[in-house]
């Protein structure tokens, strides 16, 4: 038995069709959580969910596509999750975007707004969706994945 048992817990991981998000989702499922695989493309989500279900049993993962830039899609993500799996116990805000890489004096307003919307505002929306039920239960976890760039200066 693992000291990190998540049996009976429901987790949403945004940006979980590849990379860090996928690894987090796989790790949560390995510890017994039922995970929602979410990114913009349903087919990519379904492929990852199928692999997790094959490794950890049917019902270990479900695929629900949602774009973090669309509040209505995030609301639907939560509504579908609750309807299919129950209340969310773990929220991992992993999805983000960076339409610009370079010095701050070269970024266009539209690019900067996209970064704020996708990397800050979307997390705010997700937290607003998750927190009330977690508060009512007196249990839950919210994890926000971020760049080391927030802590350490970069020459670019």
């Amino acid at each position: 038995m693992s000291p990190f048992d998540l049996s009976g817990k429901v987790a949403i991981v945004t940006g979980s069709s590849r990379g860090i998000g996928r690894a987090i989702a796989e790790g949560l499922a390995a510890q017994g959580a039922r995970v929602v695989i979410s990114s913009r493309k349903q087919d990519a989500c379904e492929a990852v969910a199928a692999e997790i279900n094959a490794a950890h049993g049917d019902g270990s993962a479900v695929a629900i596509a949602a774009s973090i830039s669309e509040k209505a899609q995030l609301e639907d993500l939560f509504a579908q999750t609750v309807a299919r799996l129950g209340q969310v116990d773990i929220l991992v805000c992993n999805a983000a975007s960076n339409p610009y890489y370079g010095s701050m004096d070269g970024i266009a307003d539209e690019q900067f707004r996209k970064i704020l919307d996708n990397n800050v505002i979307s997390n705010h929306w997700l937290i607003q969706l998750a927190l009330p039920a977690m508060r009512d239960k007196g249990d839950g976890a919210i994890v926000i994945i971020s760049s080391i760039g927030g802590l350490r200066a970069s020459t670019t």
Side-chain angles (χ1 to χ4, degrees):
M1 180 161 131
S2 169
F4 192 62
D5 184 10
L6 297 176
S7 297
K9 301 291 185 182
V10 173
I12 292 177
V13 183
T14 65
S16 52
S17 64
R18 61 189 176 95
I20 293 169
R22 179 180 178 152
I24 291 169
E26 289 172 345
L28 291 169
Q31 297 304 319
R34 291 174 295 152
V35 296
V36 175
I37 305 302
S38 188
S39 69
R40 289 176 293 149
K41 299 185 190 284
Q42 183 68 24
D43 58 340
C45 295
E46 289 173 0
V48 173
E51 288 184 31
I52 290 174
N53 285 326
H56 302 289
D58 282 341
S60 295
V62 298
I64 305 173
S67 171
I68 59 169
S69 62
E70 300 292 331
K71 186 175 188 178
Q73 289 187 30
L74 297 178
E75 291 168 339
D76 184 61
L77 168 65
F78 267 78
Q80 283 193 55
T81 299
V82 171
R84 293 168 73 176
L85 301 177
Q87 291 294 338
V88 176
D89 300 291
I90 303 163
L91 169 64
V92 180
C93 301
N94 172 67
S97 62
N98 186 8
Y100 175 81
Y101 186 77
S103 177
M104 289 297 293
D105 63 352
I107 191 169
D109 288 348
E110 296 77 28
Q111 292 169 313
F112 191 67
R113 280 189 189 99
K114 182 171 184 167
I115 291 169
L116 289 175
D117 286 346
N118 288 355
N119 302 356
V120 179
I121 301 296
S122 68
N123 290 341
H124 169 71
W125 292 336
L126 287 161
I127 290 165
Q128 284 185 315
L129 291 164
L131 191 56
M134 290 180 182
R135 185 180 290 130
D136 288 347
K137 285 190 299 189
D139 188 28
I142 297 172
V143 178
I144 300 172
I145 307 299
S146 184
S147 165
I148 190 68
L151 300 174
R152 222 180 289 165
S154 169
T155 59
T156 57

